[in-house]
Amino acid sequence: MRLLLVEDDPDLSRQMKAILEGDGYAVDVSMDGEDGHFLGETESYDTIVLDLGLPIMDGVSVLTKWRGAGISTPVLILTARDGWSEKVAGLDAGADDYVTKPFKIEELLARVRALIRRAAGQASPELTCGKVTLNTNSSKVTVDGMPIRLTAQEYKLLSYMMHHPEKIISRTELTEHIYDQDFDRDSNTIEVFVTRVRKKLGVAIINTIRGLGYQLVDPEEQKTQ
Ligand code: CA
């Protein structure tokens, strides 16, 4: 999963980026409204964390422009304490949720997880496909109840696929959602990751759709079709 963080406070943005990355997200950071607006409109994100008080273009204007352009990415706004009118303006401009500054990072992480789940149409934090279970809260993956150890990139790949079961996902789409902007992206490495994840899981839930990409399918359901 890939996030955009638009926050102009350098200390806060550095700290948040580190924590979000530690929680398994690829994170792009933008320090002003104009750059943030551009990234949000041109790149693929699973959720955007948007501060409202930003230089060059304020957060509500950024959000209004995104929504006007049909960008439906979930947006969590960061608002000032006592800023109830700011919250109303942000929600009315198309924000999906908000966190009031100062906030506990755990709250932000939980809200981001919930937004990603909801956007993917998943109500439960525990995603299941056949014998494979991925817990989005603990970032733990099990097969038949047995824990599986994945690297950060392998986890990102599986997590994206588990959030979008049965969807045919191209290599490009996977690349866009598991690497941040600065990463030297090579869609060939996706194949390597898929092979490794398949091997570690030991169950055939990732199908290759020739020429199109990959699809997560429960092998049991596939048999009965
Ligand atoms: Ca600010």
Side-chain angles (χ1 to χ4, degrees):
M1 294 295 168
R2 183 175 170 209
L3 308 180
L4 171 63
L5 170 62
V6 192
E7 167 62 65
D8 60 312
D9 179 323
D11 289 336
L12 185 59
S13 77
R14 207 177 309 123
Q15 207 184 346
M16 285 170 73
K17 179 179 162 73
I19 291 168
L20 289 164
E21 283 179 341
D23 219 41
Y25 300 103
V27 184
D28 290 342
V29 176
S30 187
M31 308 287 279
D32 68 66
E34 194 176 66
D35 180 60
H37 167 258
F38 175 76
L39 283 178
E41 201 163 84
T42 52
E43 297 284 328
S44 304
Y45 296 105
D46 296 291
T47 284
I48 298 172
V49 178
L50 176 70
D51 184 30
L52 290 188
L54 291 169
I56 307 178
M57 196 195 297
D58 70 87
V60 171
S61 304
V62 171
L63 188 50
T64 304
K65 284 183 91 172
W66 281 336
R67 294 310 189 220
I71 307 287
S72 59
T73 311
V75 173
L76 177 97
I77 51 171
L78 305 178
T79 66
R81 196 170 30 175
D82 304 328
W84 70 265
S85 57
E86 209 182 43
K87 273 171 213 155
V88 172
L91 291 167
D92 279 347
D96 299 272
D97 200 358
Y98 66 87
V99 170
T100 307
K101 286 179 172 181
F103 52 84
K104 288 271 178 222
I105 196 73
E106 287 80 7
E107 183 184 353
L108 179 90
L109 292 172
R111 288 184 185 275
V112 166
R113 284 194 292 270
L115 282 182
I116 290 176
R117 275 203 311 269
R118 255 182 271 149
Q122 306 283 351
S124 166
E126 204 164 77
L127 309 176
T128 302
C129 179
K131 291 176 177 170
V132 180
T133 298
L134 183 145
N135 187 307
T136 55
N137 296 345
S138 63
S139 305
K140 292 214 163 70
V141 176
T142 60
V143 178
D144 236 351
M146 296 292 289
I148 301 293
R149 285 186 67 140
L150 298 177
T151 64
Q153 294 300 6
E154 291 163 0
Y155 177 81
K156 278 178 205 162
L157 183 135
L158 184 65
S159 175
Y160 188 76
M161 295 204 74
M162 295 282 284
H163 276 85
H164 303 282
E166 284 165 45
K167 182 186 177 193
I168 295 172
I169 304 170
S170 69
R171 283 193 191 92
T172 310
E173 183 174 340
L174 279 170
T175 307
E176 281 171 354
H177 289 270
I178 71 171
Y179 297 127
D180 61 48
Q181 203 191 5
D182 301 328
F183 202 90
D184 183 17
R185 294 180 200 169
D186 175 1
S187 62
N188 288 323
T189 57
I190 295 291
E191 234 173 290
V192 177
F193 286 137
V194 168
T195 306
R196 282 195 212 145
V197 171
R198 276 182 179 144
K199 207 169 161 188
K200 286 189 180 179
L201 296 178
V203 286
I205 61 166
I206 304 176
N207 287 353
T208 299
I209 311 294
R210 199 179 281 271
L212 296 174
Y214 303 100
Q215 187 184 30
L216 195 80
V217 180
D218 179 349
E220 288 305 311
E221 277 179 26
Q222 215 174 2
K223 263 182 232 161
T224 58
Q225 272 170 12

